[in-house]
Amino acid sequence: MLSRVADSIYWMNRYMERADSYARFIDVNLNLTLDLPPGMAEQWSPLVYTTGDNRLFSEISSEASREQVLRFLIQEERNPSSIRSCLLRARENARSVREHLSLELWEHINSCYIAVRDSTADIEAILREPVEFCQRIKRNHQLFLGLFDLTLSRGEAWYFGDIGRQAERADKTTRMLDVKYFVLLPRADDIGESFDLLQWSSVLKSASAFEMYTRVYDQVLPAKIVQFLLLSAEFPRALRFCMAQADSSLRAITGSPPRGFANSAEKKLGLFRSELDFTDIDEIFRFGLHEYLDLAQSKLNDIGEALAETFFESAAPTVAG
């Protein structure tokens, strides 16, 4: 497969996944505001920290109000990761490799962008009903996943797309946990109280993990939530699951055996996967949760760079970020 094609399909999946993640973050935060104790102000700045775009946001917006954060995450063209920008970039990457996609998949990606472009032209209407907008984004992403899985052969295109999807999910899961641990941390007196547990529940809901978590654990406990979202081998948005799936797809491309490696991307991904397989939550807390999540994000970046060096570097410039 050409480097350009692999690169575009990888980023097409990352951008579609990112748009879905932002819609879920917004949706959960809107619901969280309904459960706030009397007198407590709405929290919107954590959403910007979760996406990692806080520096750009501070350059563009004067305050982290509900309206300005929603504009920044949904419509802002200067934000390369806004929902509108993500769908534009996903569409541009898809258009460059149309011959490798099914007609249904291409038409769906194209229609998703056009619908968001048209609807965000009236951002005031979205701000009045943001939940409905987020629900549409999530439903469209579910349809995208179905079409990607059901209309593409299990060849290199599908595997590169799956690696991009898993990389984006892993990144967003670690960021969500890090923001809860640092930015959303309430007053020291509130730790373990109802509002603290409500926020931890919102972290689970942001990852669409609440129901699956409660099937494993009967209480909302921060340590168990961290364990579930980092180390579950069965939940699709858990860091360990994502790395195992990405490793499997990468080896399907290269043909490398499970215990070996043929390039730096396989080596880094395999080492990280093994570390997740053989660590436990006590070791993570002894190391420090924030420090562990920071290290995990650095490793995800290293894996992404190794993938680019190994498979994408000779590609023509693509719509990446």
Side-chain angles (χ1 to χ4, degrees):
M1 170 173 281
L2 292 174
S3 297
R4 174 185 63 81
V5 176
D7 192 23
S8 292
I9 293 178
Y10 172 86
W11 279 105
M12 177 188 78
N13 275 269
R14 288 203 69 155
Y15 281 121
M16 292 298 291
E17 188 73 27
R18 192 174 300 177
D20 173 71
S21 295
Y22 284 18
R24 283 186 294 105
F25 294 164
I26 294 170
D27 193 25
V28 170
N29 205 59
L30 286 165
N31 283 305
L32 182 61
T33 60
L34 301 177
D35 297 320
L36 288 175
M40 182 167 285
E42 295 182 4
Q43 293 187 327
W44 288 97
S45 58
L47 261 68
V48 183
Y49 282 95
T50 302
T51 63
D53 298 318
N54 45 302
R55 182 174 299 176
L56 177 62
F57 178 79
S58 64
E59 294 173 0
I60 294 175
S61 305
S62 57
E63 61 174 343
S65 64
R66 167 179 167 145
E67 179 180 335
Q68 293 205 25
V69 169
L70 290 180
R71 285 180 183 272
F72 179 76
L73 295 180
I74 291 174
Q75 180 208 36
E76 180 56 63
E77 294 182 11
R78 289 171 289 179
N79 177 11
S81 294
S82 70
I83 290 175
R84 187 179 189 279
S85 296
C86 282
L87 293 179
L88 170 62
R89 292 177 176 216
R91 175 179 177 264
E92 291 306 303
N93 278 297
R95 185 166 63 176
S96 70
V97 293
R98 279 185 61 175
E99 67 275 19
H100 294 269
L101 307 178
S102 66
L103 178 62
E104 294 97 326
L105 183 60
W106 157 248
E107 288 181 342
H108 178 65
I109 296 170
N110 190 43
S111 65
C112 283
Y113 167 68
I114 291 173
V116 168
R117 181 198 62 190
D118 293 346
S119 60
T120 53
D122 184 8
I123 188 65
E124 299 300 333
I126 293 177
L127 294 177
R128 287 192 295 272
E129 294 290 342
V131 173
E132 170 56 29
F133 175 80
C134 292
Q135 294 292 339
R136 288 204 308 271
I137 297 297
K138 290 192 289 183
R139 285 196 297 271
N140 281 332
H141 185 250
Q142 289 162 359
L143 184 52
F144 164 79
L145 294 177
L147 289 170
F148 192 82
D149 283 351
L150 293 175
T151 66
L152 262 62
S153 300
R154 293 301 185 268
E156 291 185 346
W158 189 91
Y159 290 119
F160 275 115
D162 187 52
I163 294 170
R165 181 191 313 171
Q166 304 302 335
E168 189 66 28
R169 284 180 184 171
D171 176 75
K172 290 297 173 285
T173 296
T174 57
R175 287 183 184 279
M176 277 193 302
L177 287 171
D178 205 20
V179 168
K180 168 55 189 145
Y181 186 72
F182 256 84
V183 181
L184 286 177
L185 197 65
R187 298 172 304 174
D189 292 343
D190 291 333
I191 296 175
E193 298 298 324
S194 58
F195 182 57
D196 188 28
L197 298 180
L198 184 65
Q199 288 186 331
W200 278 109
S201 297
S202 74
V203 171
L204 284 172
K205 291 174 182 175
S206 293
S208 299
F210 186 80
E211 289 78 14
M212 294 302 104
Y213 172 86
T214 54
R215 292 183 66 174
V216 179
Y217 304 104
D218 56 5
Q219 286 184 290
V220 177
L221 299 173
K224 297 299 183 185
I225 293 173
V226 173
Q227 178 176 328
F228 187 75
L229 292 179
L230 290 184
L231 301 179
S232 173
E234 289 84 28
F235 185 65
R237 294 188 187 279
L239 177 61
R240 181 183 175 192
F241 181 98
C242 291
M243 291 299 95
Q245 184 62 40
D247 187 50
S248 176
S249 287
L250 183 56
R251 292 178 188 281
I253 293 169
T254 63
S256 296
R259 296 181 182 276
F261 63 89
N263 53 64
S264 61
E266 282 186 339
K267 181 179 180 180
K268 292 181 178 181
L269 183 52
L271 284 171
F272 192 27
R273 178 189 177 181
S274 297
E275 177 189 308
L276 292 166
D277 285 343
F278 292 99
T279 193
D280 59 50
I281 195 63
D282 293 333
E283 288 180 340
I284 291 175
F285 280 127
R286 280 197 297 273
F287 186 77
L289 179 57
H290 170 68
E291 289 76 9
Y292 185 85
L293 294 171
D294 196 40
L295 184 61
Q297 287 168 9
S298 295
K299 290 180 179 179
L300 290 172
N301 290 336
D302 288 344
I303 292 168
E305 290 174 3
L307 284 169
E309 291 171 1
T310 304
F311 297 103
F312 308 150
E313 271 203 342
S314 60
T318 189
V319 189

